[in-house]
Amino acid sequence: MNVRTPAVRLGLLPAGIALALAPAFASAQEASAPTTLDRLEVTGSRIRSVDVETSQPVLTVSHEDIQRSGLVSVGDLLQNLSVAGTQTYSKAAVLASNPEQGGQYVSLYNLGEQRTLVLVNGKRWSTSLAGFTDMSTIPTSLIERVEVLKDGASAIYGSDAIAGVVNIILRKNFDGAEASAYYGQNSRGDGSKTQYSLTLGATGERSSIVFGANYIKEDPVWAKDRGLTQYTYGQGSPTAGLSPAGPWGRFTDPRAAGTPGAGSYNEDGDWEANTWVINHTGSWNTPVGVGQPSNNLNNYHTIGLDDYYNASQQMMLNQGAESKTMFTSATYDINDNLRLKSTAMYSERDSKRQIAGYPLTGTSQPTYPIVISKDSVYNPLGNWANPGAGVDITSWGRRIFELPRVTQNNVKSLHFDAALEGNFDFNNRPFDWDVGINYNQYDVTQTSTGNINLLALKNALGPSFINGSGVAQCGTAANPIDLGVGPGRCTPFDLLGGATGATPNALQYINTLLNSTGQSKSKQYFANITGSLFDMPGNAGEFAFAAGYEHREVSGYNHPDALSSAGYTTELAANPTDGKYKTNEFYLELMVPLLRDLPGAKELSLDVASRYSDYDKFGNTINSKFSVTWKPIDDLLVRATYGEGFRAPTLDDTFGGGSQTFDDFTDPCDAVFGQRSNGAVAARCAAEGLAPGFRQTDAAGRPVSARDTQGNAPFQSGVGNDSLQPETSKTRTAGLVWSPSFVSGLNVSLDWYKITVDNVITAVSANYVLNQCYQNASAQFCGQYGRDPVTGQVNSLSRGNANLGSMETEGYNFGVRYRLPEYSFGTLSFNLDTNYLSSFRQQATKGAAWDDYAGYWNFPRVRGTLASTWTKGDLSATWTMRYYGGFRDYCTEDECNEPGYLTENGGWSGGEGANKKGAIVYHDISATWQAPWNGSVTVGARNVFGKTPPITQAVTNGSAVQLDPMLDYDRFLFVQYNQRF
């Protein structure tokens, strides 16, 4: 069933979908002539009605549309909507370590995945502790249709429906069998996708059952295999983003100031110790070479560029995943007015990501510092090299490139719902009701290797000696420790010797297997009733209503690896999370038709909805929505909505235990990138004993070369706040659709939207903490960071969540669709749809200045699609052009085409200037043949011309995250075969 809504805004959909969505873009003059008398419930309203035209934009994608698209996941499908933003945890976000990593999510209007409510068959789907709904658990082969409400709906559905609602309707009333196979691959021979599915169903006089099974496998893509991503800052700047944490061990000379050869005095009279690296062959851009013996200081040199490392060589660009799903749905009509319905689904996803080996330092865990013992045989300043005069090396580093960090997420999703539905007539009017239960469970097991066991490392870098066999052994000759990797054993680690100093046993000894588990569970009990009460005067229509009650219980936990929680590994130490809450909710919706078939008012109706929610943790709230539909003439429909919304804090927001993180930040006291020009900032920097020329340093102890550089010490982030209150929102929309009767097949639509979110639950950033202290002298935030007493570097900082500031987005959707009459050569149709982003503003705190991101990276002002489709008999073909507008980026030394563009122009620009990147247009094609034996074949290609997207300097966390995940970076070819039996 396709739900017809006159002013639907067609999304940016791939080849085949844009035209297939045409029924959802129905003409206004058809509004008063429904094609069926079945009473239907449309997403965005609880009222069942024979008139499916509503005052809210609902986009519908059918099962056939999805099959023609060549996309195998709901996440990929919805990512092409013109109002969809970049995913927080996309397949390209391999540096993220959250449990959500590896899933697929949708963020309508770029307002965040937590603010888009996902339903399945009209019921809430499972979410993570952070409120993310993983849609990779729902394979496309099991979907009958997808309805996307691009409007807030908290008054109808409760929490989270701020940006909109995605309602996935699963297949039912299916007779026979259907099997499908799909294969696609990038033109470079990687990133292949495979899908197999089987659907079985039977429908009897009073019962029906559907069973489905699905398998999907997606192979990874590596950053080193693309010119755009083989270096941190792109192909044109191979050395700019090299990591100072290289595969060759380095250390800062620990000998006393003034010791000959240990360092030198700078022009300010301060002692600067040398940073030493073992002599070796090879460089940053060649395979790792051979190093000299590490226990002789004469074999070292001061650190240089060839000692750095290109971490992209070990990074995935897109991770791989494998998922398996089983689904069943059954309906039994007890009698003509009573039926039992139930749905069950089990899905399991395994995803695997890899990032570069750990950049290990002596203070990877500040609470458990590790030194290279003066009694280690591998210490060039130790007692073995300088008998009786050895010193510990306290400041050292080395990337353990031999052990790339590999994380595997196993996600099990279980869903079950059951409901008793009925209908009856009262006073000659129909009523529908249902009562039931909805259960979701989401279990995550995360395992990883490549992090370092610091307890073992301390032993491996501790005292050692050369035994009688000429082999290095832990301990001393008087108290040796058995060689090996098991309990009570130890293998010395020649850390400073780099690539040629590490033995397989030493690497195995310090490596660690980490394991963490988490669960999110929800139980929902509900009861609903809908019907019409009376006829409005003047034949305006039926006064209808819907009312209901819901009780929801949400609970969950996250139990991180015990050794890591104790701070004994290089994994980010996290504390456990445990929490739960309950809510009781009541809602009422009224549909009030006011006028019909009058001059200037072919139709005028009002929809009013209100919902009361009572949370045991957050108190209560009432949210209402008002919608109006007006047809002044048959060819024109005008509509508008105003709605209040809210989002309750998630379990993570409220009960999160917090974890370590290596934040990107800019020290306000940095002489180059800081804020020393601000008098208040300069005064506090001086009060902390920092010299005017103070510089923030990188992992190698060198001054940073860019803003927002990753810190050298882990900060504490994500600590739950039990004082958080729900976010609130206001949604305003107005739109029209014109379907001129004198031009058959032409539809033109224009929609305006504005969504404001207040009391935003924000993960406070390190920059925010520092700026609040240095700029505003906030005692609260000045107590949340600390500096190293010797170097002055920020070495500790604690940040959590708070209700801060606001965000607001505003824009327009414009669409034109024209279907030509059928000719001898077939049928042609054209779809043009665009989204113009007027503004996307954020306010850090109430009263602070607004930052407008519209026109910057991830926020193009214009996104659009033009699709042309030809159909004749059993053949069809589609050509689609997808347009992504240009954006402003940071200026760099190599690229700065708007050097005079000041930040006062709005938003961030990375300093005084900006670098404008051009727009990009992708071309997609597909063709389908309907075979006479109930089979069909679809072949196609996305990004036919193999265009590469622009990179950005706005994100500096490695090459894998510098491409907008919404954009294709390669040509993708696919073929799909479906067979009905």
Side-chain angles (χ1 to χ4, degrees):
M1 177 197 70
N2 284 327
V3 176
R4 296 181 296 109
T5 53
V8 141
R9 298 190 293 267
L10 297 181
L12 270 179
L13 298 178
I17 289 188
L19 175 68
L21 287 176
F25 202 142
S27 60
Q29 63 258 35
E30 297 173 336
S32 60
T35 58
T36 176
L37 294 180
D38 292 339
R39 304 181 71 85
L40 307 173
E41 181 178 313
V42 180
T43 301
S45 175
R46 296 282 194 177
I47 296 175
R48 295 189 178 187
S49 172
V50 296
D51 189 353
V52 298
E53 302 288 357
T54 74
S55 57
Q56 303 172 94
V58 179
L59 179 150
T60 302
V61 186
S62 71
H63 175 75
E64 291 74 18
D65 303 334
I66 298 170
Q67 292 290 307
R68 285 191 290 265
S69 74
L71 297 172
V72 299
S73 68
V74 183
D76 287 341
L77 182 75
L78 297 178
Q79 192 64 26
N80 285 285
L81 295 175
S82 60
V83 294
T86 301
Q87 298 178 23
T88 304
Y89 300 110
S90 71
K91 298 173 186 176
V94 295
L95 283 172
S97 59
N98 303 61
E100 291 82 8
Q101 218 282 334
Q104 291 187 325
Y105 313 93
V106 61
S107 171
L108 296 181
Y109 295 110
N110 250 318
L111 290 174
E113 292 88 342
Q114 317 95 306
R115 300 179 184 91
T116 298
L117 178 63
V118 176
L119 309 175
V120 176
N121 289 340
K123 301 175 179 63
R124 285 178 175 267
W125 202 243
S126 59
T127 64
S128 67
L129 295 180
F132 288 73
T133 300
D134 181 4
M135 289 183 295
S136 71
T137 60
I138 311 167
T140 56
S141 63
L142 302 180
I143 296 174
E144 178 181 316
R145 68 183 185 276
V146 179
E147 296 178 353
V148 181
L149 172 66
K150 296 188 283 184
D151 193 0
S154 287
I156 303 298
Y157 299 110
S159 178
D160 307 336
I162 286 179
V165 178
V166 174
N167 189 10
I168 300 170
I169 311 299
L170 301 179
R171 304 180 76 175
K172 59 183 178 180
N173 298 330
F174 182 84
D175 270 317
E178 180 179 280
S180 69
Y182 169 100
Y183 182 78
Q185 187 181 75
N186 290 324
S187 59
R188 294 172 184 258
D190 57 9
S192 62
K193 298 180 181 180
T194 306
Q195 180 188 46
Y196 302 102
S197 68
L198 174 66
T199 305
L200 306 172
T203 301
E205 183 177 349
R206 287 194 172 273
S207 62
S208 67
I209 186 170
V210 178
F211 169 81
N214 192 88
Y215 172 82
I216 300 175
K217 183 179 180 182
E218 301 183 55
D219 290 338
V221 177
W222 295 89
K224 62 183 175 62
D225 295 332
R226 297 293 186 276
L228 279 176
T229 57
Q230 62 181 328
Y231 306 117
T232 301
Y233 290 107
Q235 199 166 8
S237 305
T239 62
L242 293 179
S243 171
W248 300 99
R250 69 182 188 278
F251 70 93
T252 301
D253 201 308
R255 291 175 291 181
T259 302
S264 60
Y265 290 98
N266 62 24
E267 59 184 15
D268 295 325
D270 297 323
W271 175 256
E272 292 183 350
N274 286 331
T275 297
W276 299 106
V277 178
I278 195 75
N279 295 334
H280 59 87
T281 60
S283 66
W284 66 267
N285 64 343
T286 58
V288 174
V290 177
Q292 296 182 357
S294 63
N295 56 2
N296 185 345
L297 189 59
N298 293 325
N299 294 336
Y300 287 77
H301 62 273
T302 56
I303 190 169
L305 184 63
D306 280 341
D307 304 313
Y308 280 41
Y309 185 65
N310 180 15
S312 298
Q313 297 302 305
Q314 292 187 307
M315 302 279 289
M316 285 182 178
L317 175 58
N318 270 5
Q319 66 181 298
E322 187 176 23
S323 64
K324 300 173 282 289
T325 304
M326 296 183 67
F327 156 80
T328 184
S329 175
T331 302
Y332 178 71
D333 293 338
I334 300 173
N335 56 45
D336 291 342
N337 301 311
L338 190 65
R339 71 197 61 86
L340 182 65
K341 297 177 68 174
S342 181
T343 300
M345 178 183 285
Y346 173 81
S347 179
E348 183 170 355
R349 170 176 58 82
D350 289 286
S351 58
K352 182 178 180 179
R353 65 182 179 90
Q354 178 178 307
I355 60 176
Y358 193 86
L360 187 64
T361 69
T363 54
S364 289
Q365 285 293 357
T367 58
Y368 195 75
I370 295 177
V371 304
I372 301 177
S373 172
K374 61 184 179 182
D375 292 317
S376 168
V377 297
Y378 299 122
N379 185 339
L381 299 175
N383 286 324
W384 289 86
N386 304 283
V391 293
D392 293 333
I393 296 177
T394 58
S395 179
W396 54 265
R398 179 192 189 279
R399 184 178 294 276
I400 312 300
F401 77 101
E402 300 94 338
L403 301 174
R405 286 167 285 174
V406 177
T407 301
Q408 299 188 65
N409 279 8
N410 175 264
V411 177
K412 296 181 175 69
S413 179
L414 175 64
H415 168 85
F416 173 78
D417 66 72
L420 191 64
E421 296 183 351
N423 57 274
F424 63 91
D425 288 340
F426 179 75
N427 197 25
N428 292 323
R429 296 188 179 278
F431 292 82
D432 298 279
W433 61 270
D434 66 309
V435 295
I437 183 174
N438 183 41
Y439 177 85
N440 290 294
Q441 184 170 314
Y442 186 79
D443 292 283
V444 180
T445 300
Q446 192 172 60
T447 58
S448 64
T449 59
N451 275 285
I452 307 304
N453 184 325
L454 298 180
L455 298 175
L457 182 67
K458 185 174 184 178
N459 290 335
L461 299 182
S464 57
F465 68 103
I466 303 299
N467 62 23
S469 301
V471 176
Q473 185 172 346
C474 295
T476 64
N479 293 292
I481 302 175
D482 290 341
L483 281 168
V485 295
R489 296 174 179 270
C490 175
T491 300
F493 183 29
D494 184 6
L495 181 139
L496 298 179
T500 51
T503 65
N505 277 353
L507 293 170
Q508 185 180 354
Y509 178 62
I510 64 173
N511 193 10
T512 184
L513 175 66
L514 305 178
N515 184 79
S516 63
T517 59
Q519 182 185 89
S520 179
K521 185 164 57 177
S522 67
K523 300 176 185 177
Q524 181 181 11
Y525 307 92
F526 57 86
N528 304 284
I529 186 169
T530 180
S532 64
L533 298 178
F534 53 84
D535 292 330
M536 293 290 289
N539 197 32
E542 296 179 329
F543 184 101
F545 83 102
Y549 164 77
E550 295 179 7
H551 172 80
R552 191 155 45 97
E553 301 175 4
V554 179
S555 61
Y557 65 81
N558 180 46
H559 296 162
D561 182 81
L563 192 65
S564 294
S565 292
Y568 294 132
T569 75
T570 55
E571 173 71 324
L572 302 174
N575 296 316
T577 296
D578 285 279
K580 60 182 179 180
Y581 67 82
K582 298 179 181 179
T583 178
N584 291 288
E585 301 181 281
F586 300 87
Y587 74 89
L588 174 65
E589 182 184 4
L590 303 176
M591 174 62 73
V592 187
L594 300 175
L595 300 172
R596 183 181 294 271
D597 295 330
L598 295 175
K602 293 296 181 179
E603 178 187 331
L604 180 63
S605 61
L606 178 67
D607 187 287
V608 181
S610 191
R611 189 181 192 93
Y612 170 80
S613 304
D614 185 15
Y615 286 81
D616 63 346
K617 295 292 183 183
F618 320 118
N620 58 68
T621 179
I622 297 177
N623 295 274
S624 302
K625 185 172 184 177
F626 306 90
S627 307
V628 62
T629 302
W630 174 43
K631 291 179 61 179
I633 58 176
D634 286 336
D635 293 354
L636 182 66
L637 183 137
V638 182
R639 64 184 178 188
T641 65
Y642 172 83
E644 300 169 331
F646 80 103
R647 183 178 79 88
T650 66
L651 295 174
D652 241 7
D653 293 332
T654 308
F655 305 99
S659 66
Q660 290 180 325
T661 180
F662 283 87
D663 281 337
D664 295 337
F665 72 99
T666 300
D667 194 323
C669 297
D670 184 85
V672 176
F673 301 111
Q675 305 165 34
R676 290 285 188 131
S677 60
N678 182 310
V681 174
R684 181 167 181 86
C685 296
E688 291 181 332
L690 301 178
F694 170 82
R695 294 302 313 279
Q696 178 183 347
T697 58
D698 61 18
R702 293 190 166 191
V704 297
S705 58
R707 293 173 176 81
D708 294 332
T709 299
Q710 190 176 70
N712 303 323
F715 296 163
Q716 191 73 10
S717 68
V719 179
N721 182 352
D722 59 7
S723 298
L724 289 174
Q725 292 299 307
E727 298 177 345
T728 60
S729 70
K730 290 182 174 60
T731 301
R732 288 137 289 188
T733 68
L736 57 85
V737 58
W738 182 48
S739 304
S741 55
F742 53 85
V743 183
S744 178
L746 175 63
N747 296 278
V748 180
S749 72
L750 177 65
D751 288 283
W752 166 81
Y753 61 86
K754 185 175 184 178
I755 304 173
T756 304
V757 186
D758 293 316
N759 217 30
V760 173
I761 298 172
T762 303
V764 177
S765 68
N767 279 332
Y768 182 82
V769 171
L770 294 172
N771 290 339
Q772 286 298 308
C773 174
Y774 282 88
Q775 294 178 3
N776 302 323
S778 168
Q780 173 190 353
F781 290 100
C782 286
Q784 293 182 2
Y785 74 93
R787 291 185 179 273
D788 186 285
V790 177
T791 65
Q793 299 296 316
V794 177
N795 62 359
S796 66
L797 187 144
S798 178
R799 58 184 182 86
N801 301 317
N803 290 110
L804 294 174
S806 304
M807 65 171 62
E808 181 179 87
T809 185
E810 181 177 8
Y812 298 86
N813 285 158
F814 176 71
V816 178
R817 172 182 166 261
Y818 184 46
R819 182 188 296 271
L820 277 68
E822 184 173 359
Y823 295 100
S824 59
F825 58 80
T827 301
L828 284 174
S829 64
F830 302 92
N831 280 326
L832 170 67
D833 182 71
T834 58
N835 180 68
Y836 178 78
L837 182 65
S838 300
S839 68
F840 189 97
R841 306 194 304 161
Q842 288 185 315
Q843 185 185 46
T845 57
K846 193 173 182 62
W850 287 86
D851 292 320
D852 195 340
Y853 294 85
Y856 294 87
W857 185 70
N858 271 356
F859 298 91
R861 287 200 180 273
V862 180
R863 286 184 63 181
T865 183
L866 175 61
S868 307
T869 300
W870 167 80
T871 303
K872 182 175 176 59
D874 294 331
L875 297 175
S876 63
T878 301
W879 171 32
T880 301
M881 292 183 289
R882 293 177 283 136
Y883 177 88
Y884 296 82
F887 63 91
R888 284 190 169 90
D889 194 9
Y890 279 123
C891 268
T892 66
E893 293 180 359
D894 299 323
E895 290 185 295
C896 194
N897 53 30
E898 292 184 343
Y901 187 88
L902 302 178
T903 55
E904 284 77 7
N905 285 343
W908 49 264
S909 62
E912 293 295 311
N915 186 43
K916 183 69 179 290
K917 301 290 182 71
I920 187 170
V921 180
Y922 290 111
H923 297 260
D924 307 328
I925 59 172
S926 69
T928 300
W929 174 54
Q930 301 291 337
W933 54 81
N934 285 335
S936 66
V937 180
T938 300
V939 295
R942 290 175 59 84
N943 189 14
V944 174
F945 300 111
K947 290 192 175 182
T948 56
I951 64 171
T952 178
Q953 306 298 336
V955 180
T956 58
N957 283 343
S959 61
V961 293
Q962 290 186 359
L963 301 180
D964 189 334
M966 291 191 298
L967 304 182
D968 297 333
Y969 51 81
D970 203 353
R971 180 185 300 110
F972 185 82
L973 310 173
F974 66 88
V975 60
Q976 179 169 283
Y977 180 76
N978 296 310
Q979 180 65 55
R980 289 291 299 265
F981 302 96

